[in-house]
Amino acid sequence: MRGTSDRIGGVPVARIEALREREAAIFAAARPKSAAAAAEPSGFLDGVPLHWMLDWPMPFRMVVDEARGATITDVDGHRLDDFCLGDTGSMFGHSPAPVARAIRRQAGKGLTYMLPNDDAAAVGRLLVERFGLARWQVATTATDANRFALRLARAVTGRPKILVFNGCYHGAVDETMVRLKDGRPVNRPGLAGEFRDLTQATRIVEFNDIPALEAALAAGDVACVITEPVLTNSCMVLPAPGFHDALRRATRATGTLLLIDETHTISSGLGGYTRTFGLEPDLFVLGKPIAGGVPAAVWGMTDEVAGRWEAYGRIKEPGYSGMGTTLSANPLQFAAMRATLEDVMTAENYARMDRLAGRLQAGLSAAITRSGLPWHVARVGTRVEFICAPGPLGNGAEAEAAHAPALEAAIHLALVNRGCLIAPFHNMMLVSPATTARQVDRLVGAFGAVCAELVGH
């Protein structure tokens, strides 16, 4: 639970507020150039080019001067150990050398021409080899990839509905913007300009709840279940033993396609959670880190699904499919994806990342134990999160209840002032190939110091 009125996550509210106030003052005093930039008229709505930038729990946004490897430097000269890494977009470090070389090379050969090249052919083969599915398409964001894959699923099944798990995250796909409230499906709060009841097109059940899943699929009108292998855009929820096997059996028994969205869980290992744990999806989506930070996403399907799509194409009326965007599958994406798949997203890099992520998990857990706080740490491969509540969590409702925004914001700011940057959402930390053991130990030390302050040690 979040806590009582006078405590959050086991910490007195007054102590959280005092930490936040003190750390905000330290942050502001240390960053006059960022403060001046924040005060200048920018021409952007709310002063930022993307409203997500308002979610950083700082008095004002840091202005970045440069990022290299696993460090980020602001305009005031502060170097931070970066464990946010662009919220997964730079999961393999900032500007990996093979990707930077590929971008420079392609920049002299044209950035977009709506035709394939040699890199495209290589990427297609690499995707089949790395992730196992037989046929692929390229998009610019995972949101687009998920949207297109769901459109295909409806087309080939002739079914109208999809199913999602409470607490899921699949980008800005409309059909997934639903949640359970008091056991009833409702639109997620805060949706700007939404004029539909999205629950009419979507069924929603709790993650790890196989009986509810089977009941929701029983009518035979669900085209596709879309899921992350682990709930990640909340307090992390790991699958219960046997959950993925039961999910695959239930979807096959009802003729429902299964889409695995690995945009966050690619941290699991080479080939993502799907390959690491032997999942068998019909459709597969990966965005963010696939091109080393260049906007790109891929979505794949099995031969069987591809055959059904080809059959559908022979009978559908002509016209725009509603799938694809002009700048998708451009040669800059292919150059960056090829370099990432061949030289960055390697077994050797994953092995090193996994070792350091284990070190981080153990260090954070030990700090929590020493402080006596009722918290826990969750990890999926190189992705680590501390959660300010007891665990493990079993579903999206429990994850929502575990979220402690005021406490998390104070911790985040305190870590920044101690030279460590984590994601502004749900306490997420990533270990990259460029991350060092010394950086991990600094983060563990900083976290331990903050925990000690929160409990008054």
Side-chain angles (χ1 to χ4, degrees), residues 346-398:
T346 65
E348 294 77 15
N349 275 342
Y350 267 112
R352 184 176 185 282
M353 294 156 68
D354 191 68
R355 285 195 301 272
L356 285 179
R359 183 183 184 123
L360 177 58
Q361 179 185 25
L364 297 175
S365 296
I368 290 169
T369 299
R370 283 195 305 271
S371 68
L373 288 163
W375 303 354
H376 73 287
V377 179
R379 175 162 82 100
V380 54
T382 69
R383 184 184 185 98
V384 183
E385 296 180 12
F386 63 86
I387 298 166
C388 301
L393 305 174
N395 57 41
E398 292 180 12

Side-chain angles (χ1 to χ4, degrees), residues 64-76:
V64 175
D65 180 44
E66 67 172 12
R68 295 185 181 184
T71 64
I72 194 166
T73 305
D74 68 19
V75 293
D76 290 284

Side-chain angles (χ1 to χ4, degrees), residues 97-287:
V99 177
R101 287 194 298 269
I103 291 171
R104 287 194 297 269
R105 184 170 58 250
Q106 186 58 48
K109 299 167 65 177
L111 299 179
T112 187
Y113 25 77
M114 212 170 70
L115 287 166
N117 61 6
D118 288 342
D119 282 342
V123 167
R125 291 190 293 269
L126 286 163
L127 291 171
V128 173
E129 174 188 312
R130 182 64 52 83
F131 301 109
L133 288 87
R135 297 287 182 267
W136 292 86
Q137 288 280 275
V138 174
T140 300
T141 69
T143 290
D144 281 344
N146 279 319
R147 186 180 293 123
F148 302 155
L150 291 176
R151 187 176 286 272
L152 179 146
R154 286 195 174 103
V156 303
T157 62
R159 297 178 176 183
K161 296 184 182 294
I162 68 162
L163 185 142
V164 301
F165 293 105
N166 191 36
C168 70
Y169 182 72
H170 303 287
V173 177
D174 287 355
E175 298 99 316
T176 68
M177 293 295 177
V178 296
R179 58 168 287 188
L180 289 174
K181 182 177 182 180
D182 300 326
R184 294 173 42 251
V186 297
N187 284 11
R188 283 191 182 181
L191 292 179
E194 184 53 63
F195 61 94
R196 295 161 295 179
D197 177 2
L198 298 173
T199 64
Q200 297 303 303
T202 305
R203 297 231 169 91
I204 180 168
V205 300
E206 291 286 5
F207 196 70
N208 285 324
D209 189 340
I210 292 301
L213 170 72
E214 292 172 340
L217 296 180
D221 57 353
V222 175
C224 186
V225 172
I226 177 173
T227 186
E228 307 165 87
V230 175
L231 292 189
T232 62
N233 210 61
S234 56
C235 298
M236 192 186 293
V237 179
L238 299 175
F243 170 72
H244 280 295
D245 288 340
L247 170 61
R248 184 66 279 196
R249 285 195 301 272
T251 49
R252 283 181 172 150
T254 55
T256 307
L257 298 181
L258 175 61
L259 191 165
I260 299 292
D261 180 357
E262 290 257 25
T263 296
H264 288 164
T265 55
I266 190 64
S267 62
S268 303
L270 195 67
Y273 198 102
T274 294
R275 180 170 171 181
T276 301
F277 293 96
L279 307 188
E280 297 178 351
D282 302 296
L283 297 155
F284 178 100
V285 164
L286 174 59

Side-chain angles (χ1 to χ4, degrees), residues 256-339:
T256 307
L257 298 181
L258 175 61
L259 191 165
I260 299 292
D261 180 357
E262 290 257 25
T263 296
H264 288 164
T265 55
I266 190 64
S267 62
S268 303
L270 195 67
Y273 198 102
T274 294
R275 180 170 171 181
T276 301
F277 293 96
L279 307 188
E280 297 178 351
D282 302 296
L283 297 155
F284 178 100
V285 164
L286 174 59
K288 289 186 182 178
I290 186 66
V294 172
V298 295
W299 56 290
M301 67 199 77
T302 63
D303 266 330
E304 192 270 337
V305 173
R308 293 171 70 177
W309 174 248
E310 291 166 3
Y312 171 79
R314 290 192 290 269
I315 61 171
K316 83 175 187 71
E317 61 184 353
Y320 178 49
S321 67
M323 298 158 59
T325 56
T326 303
L327 291 178
S328 295
N330 67 67
L332 186 64
Q333 290 177 324
F334 286 124
M337 281 193 286
R338 182 175 186 177

